[in-house]
C-alpha cells in the first residue's frame, strides 16, 4: 500500500456520465489507469445537477430526463505521481475539465487484509 501524508496534489476530472473510452465508461477507465499507475487512490462522484463548457444543464430531477449527469473523478497523491499521470488524461479526456489543487493529507489508512487476503493460498497460515 502507498504511504501518503503531508503535502499532496488533488486531481479532479469533471466529465459526463455518458462519456466513454472504447465502449467503456470513461470514469472507469480513468480509475483503472490510476490504479495501474500505482496512485494512492481514486474515487468517482456522481452529480445530481450541473453544467460545463457547453452550457447545457444536466439534472436528475424527476420531471427531467436524467441523462449524462456530471461525474467527478478525484485522485490524491504526491505531486510527482499525479503530474506523471497527466499525459494519460490528455489521451482520455476530450471534453471536460481537469483541475489540480494542493492539499494536505492528514490521514490515509486502508483496511488491514484478512488472513485469506494476505495469503490467498493459505500457505503461511497456522
Amino acid at each position: 500500500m502507498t504511504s501518503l501524508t503531508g503535502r499532496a496534489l488533488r486531481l479532479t476530472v469533471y466529465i459526463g456520465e455518458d462519456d466513454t473510452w472504447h465502449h467503456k465508461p470513461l470514469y472507469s477507465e480513468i480509475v483503472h489507469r490510476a490504479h495501474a499507475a500505482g496512485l494512492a487512490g481514486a474515487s468517482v462522484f456522481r452529480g445530481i445537477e450541473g453544467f460545463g463548457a457547453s452550457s447545457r444543464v444536466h439534472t436528475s430531477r424527476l420531471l427531467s430526463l436524467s441523462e449524462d449527469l456530471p461525474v467527478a473523478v478525484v485522485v490524491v497523491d504526491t505531486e510527482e505521481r499525479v503530474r506523471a499521470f497527466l499525459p494519460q488524461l490528455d489521451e482520455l479526456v476530450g471534453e471536460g475539465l481537469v483541475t489540480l489543487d494542493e492539499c494536505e493529507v492528514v490521514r490515509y489508512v486502508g483496511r488491514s487484509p484478512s488472513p485469506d487476503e494476505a495469503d490467498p493460498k493459505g500457505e503461511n497460515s497456522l
Side-chain angles (χ1 to χ4, degrees):
M1 180 173 87
T2 302
S3 174
L4 183 64
T5 55
R7 290 185 49 152
L9 207 56
R10 177 179 48 231
L11 164 69
T12 307
V13 182
Y14 300 92
I15 54 177
E17 168 179 55
D18 292 342
D19 292 345
T20 60
W21 177 259
H22 296 258
H23 310 290
K24 178 179 175 182
L26 178 57
Y27 59 83
S28 181
E29 182 67 19
I30 294 170
V31 167
H32 284 88
R33 286 196 186 197
H35 184 258
L39 293 171
S43 297
V44 178
F45 301 94
R46 182 179 189 220
I48 57 172
E49 190 166 22
F51 72 93
S54 68
S55 292
R56 182 170 172 239
V57 175
H58 304 271
T59 182
S60 65
R61 283 183 277 147
L62 188 59
L63 298 176
S64 301
L65 293 175
S66 58
E67 56 184 44
D68 201 25
L69 293 172
V71 171
V73 182
V74 180
V75 175
V76 176
D77 207 322
T78 64
E79 180 173 358
E80 179 182 352
R81 288 181 185 215
V82 169
R83 290 196 183 277
F85 185 66
L86 291 178
Q88 292 198 53
L89 290 180
D90 286 339
E91 175 188 356
L92 295 172
V93 180
E95 296 176 358
L97 173 67
V98 178
T99 64
L100 293 172
D101 301 291
E102 291 183 5
C103 63
E104 181 179 355
V105 175
V106 176
R107 182 174 168 89
Y108 177 66
V109 179
R111 292 185 189 131
S112 298
S114 69
D116 292 338
E117 290 175 325
D119 187 10
K121 292 184 181 179
E123 294 174 349
N124 295 321
S125 56
L126 297 174

